[in-house]
Amino acid sequence: MLINGPNLNLIGNRDPSIYGKKTLIDIENACIKRANSLNYDIECVQSNHEGQLIDWIHTTKHAGIVINAGAYTHTSIAIPDALVSVELPVVEVHLSNIHNRESFRHISYISKISIGMICGFGAIGYELAIEALIHYIDNLHK
Ligand code: CA2
């Protein structure tokens, strides 16, 4: 499952110098293609509401989660708690390199519970995150 958090519905239209020219729909379509080519189904969701993100995490039927929690990355304890509660592998992704931006973006509570994080590569980072998650899931029992 691909989960996007607050304001990511705006990318491509506003602030392209930081977040790129691709829209979230472009990114989701590329992720669907990439997952399908690796024989996985993928569901893509976005919300600006923390509770909605948590409800989707609780009810997912998928084998793993790729998440860009937007600014909730740096503030939310409830989202990583929800991710831990479902005991699924999690890969974190960010369009920008959160470590070379303002210091309040340097902390990610999601990184503390994720397998790994891809940041700073823009839209392609999402496809890399999907591929990394699938590689992890496929090799879990080997
Ligand atoms: O780099 C990322 O992917 C972020 O998760 C994007 C978040 C930001 O708060 C994180 O620190 C890093 C912001 C999402 C998009 O916000 C916009 C703001 C203005 C115009 C368009 C999008």
Side-chain angles (χ1 to χ4, degrees):
M1 185 162 196
L2 172 63
I3 300 179
N4 277 286
N7 296 310
L8 285 151
N9 55 314
L10 301 178
I11 58 165
N13 304 312
R14 289 189 224 160
D15 240 340
S17 59
I18 303 180
Y19 300 119
K21 285 188 184 153
K22 296 225 163 107
T23 65
L24 187 58
I25 301 287
D26 295 333
I27 290 174
E28 289 176 342
N29 285 335
C31 289
I32 291 167
K33 253 192 179 170
R34 178 71 70 116
N36 291 349
S37 77
L38 297 167
N39 299 317
Y40 276 80
D41 284 329
I42 176 173
E43 184 184 355
C44 303
V45 292
Q46 186 275 333
S47 176
N48 296 319
H49 305 276
E50 188 175 16
Q52 175 65 82
L53 299 171
I54 291 166
D55 287 345
W56 280 327
I57 293 166
H58 287 172
T59 56
T60 185
K61 298 275 182 281
H62 294 273
I65 296 174
V66 170
I67 185 164
N68 182 350
Y72 288 145
T73 303
H74 322 297
T75 61
S76 174
I77 308 294
I79 291 173
D81 276 357
L83 291 165
V84 167
S85 79
V86 293
E87 297 182 338
L88 290 174
V90 174
V91 174
E92 178 181 6
V93 63
H94 295 284
L95 291 159
S96 62
N97 180 349
I98 58 173
H99 297 292
N100 67 14
R101 300 186 63 195
E102 305 96 321
S103 59
F104 59 82
R105 295 187 206 272
H106 296 177
I107 286 201
S108 165
Y109 293 107
I110 292 175
S111 289
K112 299 185 189 299
I113 59 87
S114 66
I115 304 163
M117 188 231 271
I118 294 172
C119 76
F121 294 99
I124 191 79
Y126 278 80
E127 290 180 67
L128 300 175
I130 296 287
E131 190 159 344
L133 178 63
I134 289 174
H135 184 268
Y136 180 88
I137 292 167
D138 282 346
N139 288 282
L140 256 187
H141 306 293
K142 287 181 186 151

